[in-house]
PDB file of all heavy atoms in Angstrom:
ATOM      1  N   SER A   1     -13.625  13.213   1.993  1.00 96.00           N
ATOM      2  CA  SER A   1     -12.384  13.966   1.908  1.00 96.00           C
ATOM      3  C   SER A   1     -12.105  14.349   0.463  1.00 96.00           C
ATOM      4  O   SER A   1     -12.726  13.817  -0.472  1.00 96.00           O
ATOM      5  CB  SER A   1     -11.211  13.141   2.468  1.00 96.00           C
ATOM      6  OG  SER A   1     -10.045  13.943   2.573  1.00 96.00           O
ATOM      7  N   LYS A   2     -11.184  15.241   0.286  1.00 94.00           N
ATOM      8  CA  LYS A   2     -10.756  15.648  -1.047  1.00 94.00           C
ATOM      9  C   LYS A   2     -10.072  14.477  -1.744  1.00 94.00           C
ATOM     10  O   LYS A   2      -9.216  13.821  -1.182  1.00 94.00           O
ATOM     11  CB  LYS A   2      -9.786  16.830  -0.935  1.00 94.00           C
ATOM     12  CG  LYS A   2      -9.271  17.359  -2.258  1.00 94.00           C
ATOM     13  CD  LYS A   2      -8.315  18.519  -2.018  1.00 94.00           C
ATOM     14  CE  LYS A   2      -7.730  19.045  -3.321  1.00 94.00           C
ATOM     15  NZ  LYS A   2      -6.771  20.157  -3.069  1.00 94.00           N
ATOM     16  N   SER A   3     -10.458  14.226  -2.995  1.00 88.00           N
ATOM     17  CA  SER A   3      -9.876  13.111  -3.744  1.00 88.00           C
ATOM     18  C   SER A   3      -8.451  13.434  -4.163  1.00 88.00           C
ATOM     19  O   SER A   3      -8.145  14.553  -4.584  1.00 88.00           O
ATOM     20  CB  SER A   3     -10.714  12.819  -4.988  1.00 88.00           C
ATOM     21  OG  SER A   3     -10.115  11.816  -5.777  1.00 88.00           O
ATOM     22  N   SER A   4      -7.569  12.444  -4.026  1.00 83.00           N
ATOM     23  CA  SER A   4      -6.153  12.658  -4.341  1.00 83.00           C
ATOM     24  C   SER A   4      -5.798  12.292  -5.774  1.00 83.00           C
ATOM     25  O   SER A   4      -4.753  12.676  -6.280  1.00 83.00           O
ATOM     26  CB  SER A   4      -5.291  11.826  -3.390  1.00 83.00           C
ATOM     27  OG  SER A   4      -5.616  10.455  -3.533  1.00 83.00           O
ATOM     28  N   ASN A   5      -6.647  11.496  -6.428  1.00 86.00           N
ATOM     29  CA  ASN A   5      -6.418  11.062  -7.811  1.00 86.00           C
ATOM     30  C   ASN A   5      -5.123  10.277  -7.999  1.00 86.00           C
ATOM     31  O   ASN A   5      -4.488  10.338  -9.049  1.00 86.00           O
ATOM     32  CB  ASN A   5      -6.432  12.266  -8.764  1.00 86.00           C
ATOM     33  CG  ASN A   5      -7.791  12.942  -8.822  1.00 86.00           C
ATOM     34  OD1 ASN A   5      -8.822  12.268  -8.861  1.00 86.00           O
ATOM     35  ND2 ASN A   5      -7.801  14.259  -8.797  1.00 86.00           N
ATOM     36  N   TYR A   6      -4.707   9.547  -6.973  1.00 92.00           N
ATOM     37  CA  TYR A   6      -3.562   8.653  -7.102  1.00 92.00           C
ATOM     38  C   TYR A   6      -3.983   7.364  -7.808  1.00 92.00           C
ATOM     39  O   TYR A   6      -5.156   6.985  -7.761  1.00 92.00           O
ATOM     40  CB  TYR A   6      -2.999   8.295  -5.729  1.00 92.00           C
ATOM     41  CG  TYR A   6      -2.048   9.305  -5.144  1.00 92.00           C
ATOM     42  CD1 TYR A   6      -2.478  10.260  -4.220  1.00 92.00           C
ATOM     43  CD2 TYR A   6      -0.696   9.291  -5.487  1.00 92.00           C
ATOM     44  CE1 TYR A   6      -1.596  11.178  -3.670  1.00 92.00           C
ATOM     45  CE2 TYR A   6       0.192  10.209  -4.936  1.00 92.00           C
ATOM     46  CZ  TYR A   6      -0.262  11.145  -4.038  1.00 92.00           C
ATOM     47  OH  TYR A   6       0.615  12.045  -3.502  1.00 92.00           O
ATOM     48  N   PRO A   7      -3.038   6.667  -8.440  1.00 94.00           N
ATOM     49  CA  PRO A   7      -3.368   5.343  -8.990  1.00 94.00           C
ATOM     50  C   PRO A   7      -3.533   4.327  -7.864  1.00 94.00           C
ATOM     51  O   PRO A   7      -3.320   4.636  -6.684  1.00 94.00           O
ATOM     52  CB  PRO A   7      -2.142   5.010  -9.850  1.00 94.00           C
ATOM     53  CG  PRO A   7      -1.026   5.767  -9.203  1.00 94.00           C
ATOM     54  CD  PRO A   7      -1.642   7.041  -8.698  1.00 94.00           C
ATOM     55  N   SER A   8      -3.885   3.102  -8.223  1.00 94.00           N
ATOM     56  CA  SER A   8      -4.072   2.051  -7.226  1.00 94.00           C
ATOM     57  C   SER A   8      -2.752   1.740  -6.515  1.00 94.00           C
ATOM     58  O   SER A   8      -1.660   1.979  -7.039  1.00 94.00           O
ATOM     59  CB  SER A   8      -4.604   0.780  -7.894  1.00 94.00           C
ATOM     60  OG  SER A   8      -5.860   1.018  -8.486  1.00 94.00           O
ATOM     61  N   GLN A   9      -2.853   1.195  -5.320  1.00 96.00           N
ATOM     62  CA  GLN A   9      -1.679   0.755  -4.568  1.00 96.00           C
ATOM     63  C   GLN A   9      -0.966  -0.376  -5.312  1.00 96.00           C
ATOM     64  O   GLN A   9      -1.585  -1.111  -6.086  1.00 96.00           O
ATOM     65  CB  GLN A   9      -2.103   0.275  -3.183  1.00 96.00           C
ATOM     66  CG  GLN A   9      -3.067  -0.899  -3.264  1.00 96.00           C
ATOM     67  CD  GLN A   9      -3.581  -1.358  -1.924  1.00 96.00           C
ATOM     68  OE1 GLN A   9      -3.418  -2.511  -1.580  1.00 96.00           O
ATOM     69  NE2 GLN A   9      -4.212  -0.468  -1.176  1.00 96.00           N
ATOM     70  N   TYR A  10       0.334  -0.522  -5.043  1.00 97.00           N
ATOM     71  CA  TYR A  10       1.102  -1.625  -5.635  1.00 97.00           C
ATOM     72  C   TYR A  10       1.746  -2.428  -4.512  1.00 97.00           C
ATOM     73  O   TYR A  10       2.446  -1.871  -3.662  1.00 97.00           O
ATOM     74  CB  TYR A  10       2.186  -1.100  -6.579  1.00 97.00           C
ATOM     75  CG  TYR A  10       3.137  -2.181  -7.041  1.00 97.00           C
ATOM     76  CD1 TYR A  10       2.770  -3.092  -8.024  1.00 97.00           C
ATOM     77  CD2 TYR A  10       4.405  -2.313  -6.463  1.00 97.00           C
ATOM     78  CE1 TYR A  10       3.635  -4.095  -8.436  1.00 97.00           C
ATOM     79  CE2 TYR A  10       5.286  -3.309  -6.864  1.00 97.00           C
ATOM     80  CZ  TYR A  10       4.886  -4.197  -7.853  1.00 97.00           C
ATOM     81  OH  TYR A  10       5.742  -5.199  -8.250  1.00 97.00           O
ATOM     82  N   ILE A  11       1.486  -3.729  -4.481  1.00 97.00           N
ATOM     83  CA  ILE A  11       2.083  -4.624  -3.503  1.00 97.00           C
ATOM     84  C   ILE A  11       3.036  -5.556  -4.252  1.00 97.00           C
ATOM     85  O   ILE A  11       2.608  -6.345  -5.105  1.00 97.00           O
ATOM     86  CB  ILE A  11       1.022  -5.462  -2.757  1.00 97.00           C
ATOM     87  CG1 ILE A  11      -0.096  -4.551  -2.207  1.00 97.00           C
ATOM     88  CG2 ILE A  11       1.671  -6.277  -1.655  1.00 97.00           C
ATOM     89  CD1 ILE A  11       0.344  -3.594  -1.146  1.00 97.00           C
ATOM     90  N   GLY A  12       4.343  -5.465  -3.976  1.00 97.00           N
ATOM     91  CA  GLY A  12       5.360  -6.229  -4.689  1.00 97.00           C
ATOM     92  C   GLY A  12       5.283  -7.727  -4.432  1.00 97.00           C
ATOM     93  O   GLY A  12       4.663  -8.182  -3.464  1.00 97.00           O
ATOM     94  N   VAL A  13       5.961  -8.489  -5.282  1.00 97.00           N
ATOM     95  CA  VAL A  13       5.905  -9.947  -5.221  1.00 97.00           C
ATOM     96  C   VAL A  13       6.481 -10.487  -3.916  1.00 97.00           C
ATOM     97  O   VAL A  13       6.054 -11.534  -3.422  1.00 97.00           O
ATOM     98  CB  VAL A  13       6.620 -10.556  -6.450  1.00 97.00           C
ATOM     99  CG1 VAL A  13       8.121 -10.222  -6.437  1.00 97.00           C
ATOM    100  CG2 VAL A  13       6.400 -12.066  -6.519  1.00 97.00           C
ATOM    101  N   ASN A  14       7.442  -9.785  -3.338  1.00 96.00           N
ATOM    102  CA  ASN A  14       8.055 -10.241  -2.085  1.00 96.00           C
ATOM    103  C   ASN A  14       7.546  -9.467  -0.867  1.00 96.00           C
ATOM    104  O   ASN A  14       8.067  -9.632   0.234  1.00 96.00           O
ATOM    105  CB  ASN A  14       9.580 -10.110  -2.171  1.00 96.00           C
ATOM    106  CG  ASN A  14      10.172 -11.044  -3.219  1.00 96.00           C
ATOM    107  OD1 ASN A  14       9.782 -12.206  -3.308  1.00 96.00           O
ATOM    108  ND2 ASN A  14      11.109 -10.528  -4.008  1.00 96.00           N
ATOM    109  N   ALA A  15       6.551  -8.640  -1.062  1.00 97.00           N
ATOM    110  CA  ALA A  15       6.014  -7.836   0.039  1.00 97.00           C
ATOM    111  C   ALA A  15       5.141  -8.686   0.957  1.00 97.00           C
ATOM    112  O   ALA A  15       4.578  -9.703   0.551  1.00 97.00           O
ATOM    113  CB  ALA A  15       5.203  -6.674  -0.513  1.00 97.00           C
ATOM    114  N   GLU A  16       5.024  -8.244   2.202  1.00 98.00           N
ATOM    115  CA  GLU A  16       4.157  -8.898   3.174  1.00 98.00           C
ATOM    116  C   GLU A  16       3.412  -7.823   3.952  1.00 98.00           C
ATOM    117  O   GLU A  16       4.035  -6.924   4.524  1.00 98.00           O
ATOM    118  CB  GLU A  16       4.972  -9.770   4.130  1.00 98.00           C
ATOM    119  CG  GLU A  16       4.121 -10.543   5.135  1.00 98.00           C
ATOM    120  CD  GLU A  16       4.947 -11.416   6.057  1.00 98.00           C
ATOM    121  OE1 GLU A  16       6.193 -11.393   5.950  1.00 98.00           O
ATOM    122  OE2 GLU A  16       4.358 -12.117   6.897  1.00 98.00           O
ATOM    123  N   VAL A  17       2.097  -7.918   3.953  1.00 98.00           N
ATOM    124  CA  VAL A  17       1.275  -6.915   4.632  1.00 98.00           C
ATOM    125  C   VAL A  17       0.296  -7.625   5.561  1.00 98.00           C
ATOM    126  O   VAL A  17      -0.440  -8.512   5.136  1.00 98.00           O
ATOM    127  CB  VAL A  17       0.495  -6.054   3.614  1.00 98.00           C
ATOM    128  CG1 VAL A  17      -0.403  -5.057   4.352  1.00 98.00           C
ATOM    129  CG2 VAL A  17       1.446  -5.318   2.683  1.00 98.00           C
ATOM    130  N   LYS A  18       0.292  -7.226   6.848  1.00 98.00           N
ATOM    131  CA  LYS A  18      -0.607  -7.822   7.830  1.00 98.00           C
ATOM    132  C   LYS A  18      -1.309  -6.723   8.635  1.00 98.00           C
ATOM    133  O   LYS A  18      -0.658  -5.810   9.140  1.00 98.00           O
ATOM    134  CB  LYS A  18       0.163  -8.738   8.792  1.00 98.00           C
ATOM    135  CG  LYS A  18       0.735  -9.999   8.159  1.00 98.00           C
ATOM    136  CD  LYS A  18       1.426 -10.859   9.200  1.00 98.00           C
ATOM    137  CE  LYS A  18       1.977 -12.143   8.590  1.00 98.00           C
ATOM    138  NZ  LYS A  18       2.657 -12.996   9.606  1.00 98.00           N
ATOM    139  N   ASN A  19      -2.629  -6.846   8.736  1.00 98.00           N
ATOM    140  CA  ASN A  19      -3.440  -5.957   9.571  1.00 98.00           C
ATOM    141  C   ASN A  19      -3.024  -4.498   9.420  1.00 98.00           C
ATOM    142  O   ASN A  19      -2.704  -3.807  10.385  1.00 98.00           O
ATOM    143  CB  ASN A  19      -3.350  -6.361  11.047  1.00 98.00           C
ATOM    144  CG  ASN A  19      -4.439  -5.685  11.878  1.00 98.00           C
ATOM    145  OD1 ASN A  19      -5.599  -5.649  11.469  1.00 98.00           O
ATOM    146  ND2 ASN A  19      -4.074  -5.151  13.035  1.00 98.00           N
ATOM    147  N   SER A  20      -3.049  -4.013   8.198  1.00 98.00           N
ATOM    148  CA  SER A  20      -2.614  -2.651   7.910  1.00 98.00           C
ATOM    149  C   SER A  20      -3.562  -1.980   6.931  1.00 98.00           C
ATOM    150  O   SER A  20      -4.329  -2.649   6.235  1.00 98.00           O
ATOM    151  CB  SER A  20      -1.192  -2.660   7.337  1.00 98.00           C
ATOM    152  OG  SER A  20      -0.266  -3.177   8.271  1.00 98.00           O
ATOM    153  N   MET A  21      -3.512  -0.648   6.885  1.00 97.00           N
ATOM    154  CA  MET A  21      -4.279   0.125   5.916  1.00 97.00           C
ATOM    155  C   MET A  21      -3.296   0.708   4.911  1.00 97.00           C
ATOM    156  O   MET A  21      -2.386   1.458   5.290  1.00 97.00           O
ATOM    157  CB  MET A  21      -5.073   1.227   6.616  1.00 97.00           C
ATOM    158  CG  MET A  21      -6.119   0.685   7.581  1.00 97.00           C
ATOM    159  SD  MET A  21      -7.011   1.980   8.504  1.00 97.00           S
ATOM    160  CE  MET A  21      -8.008   2.691   7.200  1.00 97.00           C
ATOM    161  N   ILE A  22      -3.478   0.356   3.644  1.00 97.00           N
ATOM    162  CA  ILE A  22      -2.575   0.784   2.573  1.00 97.00           C
ATOM    163  C   ILE A  22      -3.364   1.673   1.622  1.00 97.00           C
ATOM    164  O   ILE A  22      -4.341   1.228   1.014  1.00 97.00           O
ATOM    165  CB  ILE A  22      -1.991  -0.417   1.802  1.00 97.00           C
ATOM    166  CG1 ILE A  22      -1.446  -1.476   2.784  1.00 97.00           C
ATOM    167  CG2 ILE A  22      -0.925   0.052   0.834  1.00 97.00           C
ATOM    168  CD1 ILE A  22      -0.279  -1.021   3.623  1.00 97.00           C
ATOM    169  N   SER A  23      -2.954   2.919   1.482  1.00 96.00           N
ATOM    170  CA  SER A  23      -3.727   3.881   0.699  1.00 96.00           C
ATOM    171  C   SER A  23      -3.308   3.915  -0.765  1.00 96.00           C
ATOM    172  O   SER A  23      -2.288   3.342  -1.163  1.00 96.00           O
ATOM    173  CB  SER A  23      -3.595   5.281   1.309  1.00 96.00           C
ATOM    174  OG  SER A  23      -4.178   5.308   2.590  1.00 96.00           O
ATOM    175  N   GLU A  24      -4.108   4.616  -1.556  1.00 95.00           N
ATOM    176  CA  GLU A  24      -3.872   4.730  -2.990  1.00 95.00           C
ATOM    177  C   GLU A  24      -2.498   5.333  -3.284  1.00 95.00           C
ATOM    178  O   GLU A  24      -1.997   6.177  -2.553  1.00 95.00           O
ATOM    179  CB  GLU A  24      -4.942   5.616  -3.621  1.00 95.00           C
ATOM    180  CG  GLU A  24      -6.360   5.094  -3.491  1.00 95.00           C
ATOM    181  CD  GLU A  24      -7.378   6.099  -3.976  1.00 95.00           C
ATOM    182  OE1 GLU A  24      -7.067   7.305  -3.951  1.00 95.00           O
ATOM    183  OE2 GLU A  24      -8.477   5.693  -4.368  1.00 95.00           O
ATOM    184  N   GLY A  25      -1.917   4.882  -4.390  1.00 96.00           N
ATOM    185  CA  GLY A  25      -0.669   5.466  -4.851  1.00 96.00           C
ATOM    186  C   GLY A  25       0.567   5.007  -4.115  1.00 96.00           C
ATOM    187  O   GLY A  25       1.676   5.436  -4.432  1.00 96.00           O
ATOM    188  N   SER A  26       0.407   4.142  -3.114  1.00 97.00           N
ATOM    189  CA  SER A  26       1.565   3.660  -2.358  1.00 97.00           C
ATOM    190  C   SER A  26       2.144   2.417  -3.022  1.00 97.00           C
ATOM    191  O   SER A  26       1.444   1.658  -3.690  1.00 97.00           O
ATOM    192  CB  SER A  26       1.180   3.359  -0.908  1.00 97.00           C
ATOM    193  OG  SER A  26       0.063   2.494  -0.859  1.00 97.00           O
ATOM    194  N   LYS A  27       3.458   2.220  -2.828  1.00 98.00           N
ATOM    195  CA  LYS A  27       4.176   1.072  -3.381  1.00 98.00           C
ATOM    196  C   LYS A  27       4.868   0.332  -2.246  1.00 98.00           C
ATOM    197  O   LYS A  27       5.674   0.922  -1.522  1.00 98.00           O
ATOM    198  CB  LYS A  27       5.206   1.533  -4.404  1.00 98.00           C
ATOM    199  CG  LYS A  27       4.617   2.292  -5.592  1.00 98.00           C
ATOM    200  CD  LYS A  27       5.713   2.760  -6.534  1.00 98.00           C
ATOM    201  CE  LYS A  27       5.133   3.549  -7.712  1.00 98.00           C
ATOM    202  NZ  LYS A  27       6.209   4.029  -8.618  1.00 98.00           N
ATOM    203  N   ILE A  28       4.540  -0.935  -2.084  1.00 98.00           N
ATOM    204  CA  ILE A  28       5.064  -1.732  -0.976  1.00 98.00           C
ATOM    205  C   ILE A  28       5.935  -2.864  -1.525  1.00 98.00           C
ATOM    206  O   ILE A  28       5.449  -3.731  -2.252  1.00 98.00           O
ATOM    207  CB  ILE A  28       3.931  -2.331  -0.126  1.00 98.00           C
ATOM    208  CG1 ILE A  28       2.864  -1.275   0.208  1.00 98.00           C
ATOM    209  CG2 ILE A  28       4.497  -2.968   1.138  1.00 98.00           C
ATOM    210  CD1 ILE A  28       3.335  -0.141   1.058  1.00 98.00           C
ATOM    211  N   GLU A  29       7.210  -2.852  -1.162  1.00 98.00           N
ATOM    212  CA  GLU A  29       8.128  -3.938  -1.534  1.00 98.00           C
ATOM    213  C   GLU A  29       8.580  -4.730  -0.310  1.00 98.00           C
ATOM    214  O   GLU A  29       9.092  -5.837  -0.438  1.00 98.00           O
ATOM    215  CB  GLU A  29       9.359  -3.370  -2.249  1.00 98.00           C
ATOM    216  CG  GLU A  29       9.081  -2.622  -3.537  1.00 98.00           C
ATOM    217  CD  GLU A  29       8.837  -3.535  -4.728  1.00 98.00           C
ATOM    218  OE1 GLU A  29       8.840  -4.777  -4.540  1.00 98.00           O
ATOM    219  OE2 GLU A  29       8.634  -3.019  -5.838  1.00 98.00           O
ATOM    220  N   GLY A  30       8.392  -4.165   0.888  1.00 98.00           N
ATOM    221  CA  GLY A  30       8.867  -4.800   2.108  1.00 98.00           C
ATOM    222  C   GLY A  30       7.745  -5.356   2.959  1.00 98.00           C
ATOM    223  O   GLY A  30       6.689  -5.741   2.457  1.00 98.00           O
ATOM    224  N   THR A  31       7.957  -5.376   4.290  1.00 98.00           N
ATOM    225  CA  THR A  31       6.998  -5.943   5.241  1.00 98.00           C
ATOM    226  C   THR A  31       6.326  -4.825   6.032  1.00 98.00           C
ATOM    227  O   THR A  31       7.008  -3.956   6.592  1.00 98.00           O
ATOM    228  CB  THR A  31       7.712  -6.907   6.204  1.00 98.00           C
ATOM    229  OG1 THR A  31       8.267  -7.991   5.454  1.00 98.00           O
ATOM    230  CG2 THR A  31       6.748  -7.457   7.236  1.00 98.00           C
ATOM    231  N   VAL A  32       5.006  -4.857   6.084  1.00 98.00           N
ATOM    232  CA  VAL A  32       4.228  -3.864   6.817  1.00 98.00           C
ATOM    233  C   VAL A  32       3.290  -4.597   7.766  1.00 98.00           C
ATOM    234  O   VAL A  32       2.449  -5.385   7.328  1.00 98.00           O
ATOM    235  CB  VAL A  32       3.419  -2.962   5.866  1.00 98.00           C
ATOM    236  CG1 VAL A  32       2.593  -1.965   6.666  1.00 98.00           C
ATOM    237  CG2 VAL A  32       4.337  -2.229   4.891  1.00 98.00           C
ATOM    238  N   ILE A  33       3.433  -4.342   9.074  1.00 98.00           N
ATOM    239  CA  ILE A  33       2.643  -5.032  10.084  1.00 98.00           C
ATOM    240  C   ILE A  33       1.965  -4.005  10.988  1.00 98.00           C
ATOM    241  O   ILE A  33       2.624  -3.135  11.565  1.00 98.00           O
ATOM    242  CB  ILE A  33       3.529  -5.967  10.940  1.00 98.00           C
ATOM    243  CG1 ILE A  33       4.239  -6.996  10.054  1.00 98.00           C
ATOM    244  CG2 ILE A  33       2.704  -6.672  12.010  1.00 98.00           C
ATOM    245  CD1 ILE A  33       5.294  -7.803  10.776  1.00 98.00           C
ATOM    246  N   ASN A  34       0.646  -4.105  11.091  1.00 98.00           N
ATOM    247  CA  ASN A  34      -0.115  -3.259  12.025  1.00 98.00           C
ATOM    248  C   ASN A  34       0.247  -1.778  11.861  1.00 98.00           C
ATOM    249  O   ASN A  34       0.561  -1.088  12.826  1.00 98.00           O
ATOM    250  CB  ASN A  34       0.130  -3.699  13.470  1.00 98.00           C
ATOM    251  CG  ASN A  34      -1.028  -3.318  14.386  1.00 98.00           C
ATOM    252  OD1 ASN A  34      -2.148  -3.757  14.169  1.00 98.00           O
ATOM    253  ND2 ASN A  34      -0.751  -2.499  15.383  1.00 98.00           N
TER     254      ASN A  34
END
């Protein structure tokens, strides 16, 4: 695919991620499930 040139993803100290796909340039502070 065409490259987006985003920086790396950011997962916050209080974030929770389970069984998910997190792409470049995204910032996660909350809970992401499936």
Side-chain angles (χ1 to χ4, degrees):
S1 189
K2 180 180 178 181
S3 176
S4 59
N5 295 318
Y6 277 97
S8 298
Q9 61 183 237
Y10 171 77
I11 310 294
V13 65
N14 295 317
E16 183 179 2
V17 177
K18 292 182 179 180
N19 194 45
S20 297
M21 297 177 71
I22 312 296
S23 295
E24 298 173 335
S26 53
K27 300 178 181 179
I28 313 296
E29 299 281 2
T31 298
V32 178
I33 302 171
N34 205 60

